[in-house]
Amino acid sequence: MKKNLMILAVAALAVFASCSDKKAARSVVGKDTTSVVGNTASDKNNLDLASVAGTYEGTFPAADGSGIKTVLTIKADGTYQIEQDYIDQKDGHDEASGVFKVLDDNVLMLVRPSSGEHTFYKVKDDNNIVMTDSVGNEPECETAKHYVLKKRK
């Protein structure tokens, strides 16, 4: 399963790299450090964790399959749970839970306790979050819409 997570991470990085333009590259240089503001929002972000809390779902592209059905539950207490099912793959189920931190620009950094790996999602609004790179850059090409998770009603 760690191999599948690595494939997802590499695929996401490849999409971000291939979809980035010079503007995105400049923003990475301009954001060399990202401050962590803990589980509460900074005054700059005004992120209300109670309104963000909920279950989000969608299907991410997969490098070696039909996709990765993802269900992410964000809790107002600063914890999360994620379940991912690799479509068309036997034994393609992965689950994790842990804590998240709110970074600048409403980016949630999910920390996987078993490995220390980080996954990043940007809060777009109360109903949508999008997978980003570590500084909050979103994919910008035609596949960008496939990295959005929508809140369950």
Side-chain angles (χ1 to χ4, degrees):
M1 195 49 50
K2 287 184 181 183
K3 179 181 175 188
N4 287 337
L5 288 175
M6 291 304 293
I7 290 170
L8 173 63
V10 170
L13 289 174
V15 167
F16 292 127
S18 68
C19 295
S20 326
D21 58 12
K22 291 180 184 176
K23 179 181 117 187
R26 281 193 304 271
S27 69
V28 171
V29 172
K31 287 191 165 192
D32 188 35
T33 60
T34 303
S35 64
V36 176
V37 294
N39 290 333
T40 59
S42 69
D43 292 335
K44 179 178 163 183
N45 290 332
N46 295 321
L47 184 63
D48 177 15
L49 290 182
S51 67
V52 173
T55 299
Y56 297 81
E57 58 188 358
T59 301
F60 293 148
D64 62 346
S66 300
I68 305 164
K69 181 172 174 23
T70 302
V71 178
L72 172 62
T73 301
I74 301 291
K75 299 178 184 173
D77 67 357
T79 61
Y80 76 90
Q81 180 175 355
I82 189 166
E83 294 182 33
Q84 294 182 302
D85 288 301
Y86 295 76
I87 301 169
D88 300 332
Q89 287 190 11
K90 185 178 180 183
D91 300 326
H93 180 78
D94 184 50
E95 291 184 27
S97 59
V99 297
F100 67 88
K101 296 182 186 270
V102 179
L103 308 179
D104 289 340
D105 300 323
N106 295 339
V107 174
L108 305 177
M109 178 178 74
L110 282 59
V111 180
R112 190 177 190 102
S114 61
S115 65
E117 291 177 33
H118 299 145
T119 308
F120 301 89
Y121 292 90
K122 187 172 195 172
V123 177
K124 297 299 286 182
D125 55 43
D126 288 347
N127 296 308
N128 297 285
I129 59 176
V130 62
M131 182 184 269
T132 68
D133 65 11
S134 62
V135 292
N137 293 320
E138 300 173 33
E140 295 180 345
C141 63
E142 64 278 354
T143 61
K145 64 184 176 189
H146 299 292
Y147 289 90
V148 176
L149 297 178
K150 297 186 183 292
K151 194 175 206 178
R152 282 185 188 162
K153 298 292 179 185

